[in-house]
Amino acid sequence: MSEESLLNISNLTIHYHTVEGVIKAVRNVSLNVSRGESLCIVGESGSGKSTLGLAISLSLPRNAVVVEGSMVYEGVDLFKLSPPERQRYRGREISMIFQDPATTFNPLFTIGEHLVDILRHHFGVSMDEAVARAIELLRKVQLSDQDRILRAYPHELSGGMLQRAAIATALSTNPKVLIADEPTTMLDVTTQSQILELINTLKQEFGLTLLLITHNLGIANEICNRTVVMYAGALIEEGPTDEILLNPLHPYTAKLIKAVPTITKEQGRLSYIPGMLPDLRNPPAGCPFAERCEFATRYCNSSSIKRVQVSPGRRVACILHGAEA
Amino acid sequence: MSVLLEVRELVKHFPIKSGLFGRVTGYVRAVDGVSFKINGNTVFSLVGESGSGKTTTLRCILRLIEPTSGEILLDGRDVVRLKGKEVKWFRRNVQAVFQNPFLSLNPRMKVRDLIGEPLKTHTEMSDDEIHRKVNDLLAMVGLPSAVANQHPPSLSGGQAQRVAIARALSIEPRLLLLDEPTSALDVSVQAQILNLLMELKERLKLAYVLVTHDLSVVRYLSDYVAVMYLGRIVEVGSVVEIFNDPKHPYTLALLSSIPVPDPNVKRLRRRLTLPGEPPSPINLPHGCRLSSRCPYASNECMVKEPDLIRVSDTHYVRCIKVVKG
């Protein structure tokens, strides 16, 4: 593709060590992110989409181990960064917002204290300068009455306002990449559409590269031009969002799209996906979806399926579409 | 068909107490004059965002909280005034399924005992009969009989919700209250539960009152829909009337803020975004409750709150702009 590559993830494998055993949350994920694109990572619970987001922002919890793979950002291997370099990368290059904005903030500090703290830490500016920049940021996320918001504690704001404040915090360091992990799942639908619109506007204004993690195919459709689909820790399909939604190639993607009830038409029985997610402590060697797939053959279970390119920018990990077994 | 449940002018105000002596300083007007009727074997949905009063309405119908005023009639008998044995009659006819089955099912009880418990309370069945009935109920909700000896924590979310449905239906109620029954589930599992609810409704001739914020679930399951905003029904109609011909600006805004996973629809939809957030239910605006956010509001809207205006025999809307076109 002609776009400039910003982040290149190859063969990333991440395990969680828990009391119940080792959970293989992300397996062999390779992904190329271009500068300025908006990319959606779609999947259900247990797909590994959030773990991938945390890995990219170098914020994995302590019990997570990167078993294999590399992440190269603007030519630099992120796993080789020193602790101070990691910290700089986390703010100045990449920021992240989460599902529950209330957990983003420390409840004992005001929104202003959070913002000013970050601005002074990253830019070494004076108190007055930091306050002025904080007010400007709150204006950018379309919060009116910025003076009051600066003095407000997190519990004094509604969910929508708090998510706006979280976005302001994320953008305060002027990052190049914004990772949004289910940013509107906790919000009401009318607030959701406001926040999605805001993210879109700010993406243009700040020239951001957007990685949106969601289970909601509708959000993928409205926000992102490119989508990758994850299932049980594996990246199974990748392509332009329109093509994936109109002509899904992987049987899981196709099933998932059919399972969503829609407001635009009357539906008879919804199709659903029989069976359950494989146990991630002991994931199958072959296609993770094989045991729930109506098209599965004996080759699907044999060895791991490689993703193949079916058309420019369009890749799928399924032997139906020529992936090698 | 005869009226099964009728709600008349239901009001629930929660007092706000403050200070050392708990002086009442105001009221949260959670439900503020809600009326509707439901026939047997139909699905009536209450939709709205947080704070609209939909869940409070449901809790009043279930007798979990006592309404401030108004009547709830089941077969013409006022549910609020039932005493002793009559309450048992009510419970036999009305059961509920909640959002999170792991909270509504006792984790220390086996599935067999959970489903059998209402049968023990409400029927004269022998242990043998209950044993057989539980097996039948498990089969009815599509669970293998082996599940009977498990405890809820060892079940998946979809399985646990099926157990909750089996438990609610064990004593063959005529009305099932559903409070966000699929909101905690993944898309592919949600589809299975929605199909199951639809099948059971047809097979057992059940009526449902469904409370949810998810309009696509409403569209799939409902016959009639009431849209709530700040404690009031602002529009009520058949599912086709509400989704194909919405009249109230709030209904319009709700519908147009749902992200739709269809690239062809994305480009055609008209968008109505409401600015700001719902006002506090303690200090409601004068006149129409949406007037502070409504793009079509005129001076008249700020003065007097409109009554429900008839559009068709089943379709009513609380907006003066409808009459004037």
Side-chain angles (χ1 to χ4, degrees), chain A residues 14-310:
Chain A
I14 299 168
H15 292 176
Y16 285 113
H17 289 264
T18 69
V19 281
E20 275 110 33
V22 177
I23 294 172
K24 295 163 181 153
V26 169
R27 289 173 295 121
N28 251 317
V29 165
S30 298
L31 177 63
N32 208 351
V33 182
S34 306
R35 188 183 297 279
E37 76 168 325
S38 49
L39 173 70
C40 204
I41 303 171
V42 169
E44 296 185 279
S45 337
S47 63
K49 58 188 193 301
S50 291
T51 303
L52 183 61
L54 290 171
I56 296 171
S57 68
L58 295 182
S59 313
L60 285 169
R62 274 165 198 231
N63 66 339
V65 177
V66 176
V67 179
E68 202 197 330
S70 67
M71 294 197 302
V72 177
Y73 176 86
E74 292 193 317
V76 180
D77 188 342
L78 292 178
F79 293 132
K80 301 214 170 92
L81 293 182
S82 66
E85 286 170 334
R86 288 168 77 100
Q87 209 178 59
R88 188 188 173 280
Y89 165 83
R90 262 201 294 261
R92 297 290 279 276
E93 302 294 334
I94 260 177
S95 270
M96 192 157 176
I97 55 173
F98 299 92
Q99 178 170 350
D100 186 357
T103 57
T104 304
F105 294 100
N106 184 331
L108 299 177
F109 293 94
T110 63
I111 303 300
E113 283 166 330
H114 282 94
L115 276 167
V116 166
D117 218 33
I118 297 170
L119 289 164
R120 296 196 62 182
H121 175 81
H122 276 278
F123 300 104
V125 292
S126 71
M127 193 67 183
D128 287 353
E129 169 70 17
V131 170
R133 284 201 198 181
I135 289 175
E136 177 59 19
L137 281 162
L138 292 179
R139 205 182 53 76
K140 283 244 157 67
V141 296
Q142 294 157 25
L143 279 169
S144 51
D145 203 358
Q146 297 97 5
D147 287 329
R148 185 179 72 82
I149 308 266
L150 277 185
R151 274 182 273 113
Y153 286 91
H155 75 270
E156 295 175 294
L157 301 182
S158 71
M161 290 164 90
L162 212 51
Q163 193 59 285
R164 285 173 194 270
I167 294 170
T169 322
L171 296 182
S172 61
T173 51
N174 218 350
K176 299 193 182 103
V177 182
L178 179 69
I179 305 176
D181 188 356
E182 301 270 12
T184 57
T185 308
M186 303 262 295
L187 306 174
D188 276 324
V189 281
T190 57
T191 318
Q192 163 168 291
S193 78
Q194 292 175 1
I195 296 288
L196 291 176
E197 243 164 70
L198 176 71
I199 290 177
N200 232 350
T201 313
L202 293 172
K203 185 196 169 293
Q204 309 301 332
E205 194 182 332
F206 284 74
L208 292 167
T209 304
L210 178 68
L211 293 183
L212 187 79
I213 299 168
T214 182
H215 69 281
N216 188 327
L217 295 164
I219 293 179
N221 179 38
E222 301 212 345
I223 301 291
C224 297
N225 9 33
R226 207 157 72 87
T227 293
V228 296
V229 183
M230 290 188 72
Y231 179 77
L235 209 161
I236 56 163
E237 184 162 3
E238 174 183 358
T241 308
D242 286 11
E243 284 183 33
I244 286 192
L245 291 173
L246 291 174
N247 179 27
L249 295 178
H250 199 286
Y252 170 70
T253 317
K255 284 264 183 190
L256 188 67
I257 292 169
K258 284 213 190 102
V260 183
T262 151
I263 59 160
T264 49
K265 54 178 189 283
E266 268 181 66
Q267 283 164 298
R269 273 180 69 86
L270 295 168
S271 85
Y272 63 92
I273 308 177
M276 277 158 66
L277 199 70
D279 184 351
L280 292 176
R281 285 170 296 188
N282 192 15
C287 172
F289 190 60
E291 64 172 19
R292 302 171 79 180
C293 181
E294 57 190 308
F295 306 109
T297 67
R298 62 198 169 91
Y299 299 109
C300 295
N301 287 314
S302 59
S303 65
S304 77
I305 315 278
K306 302 266 183 304
R307 257 187 317 155
V308 292
Q309 178 148 332
V310 283

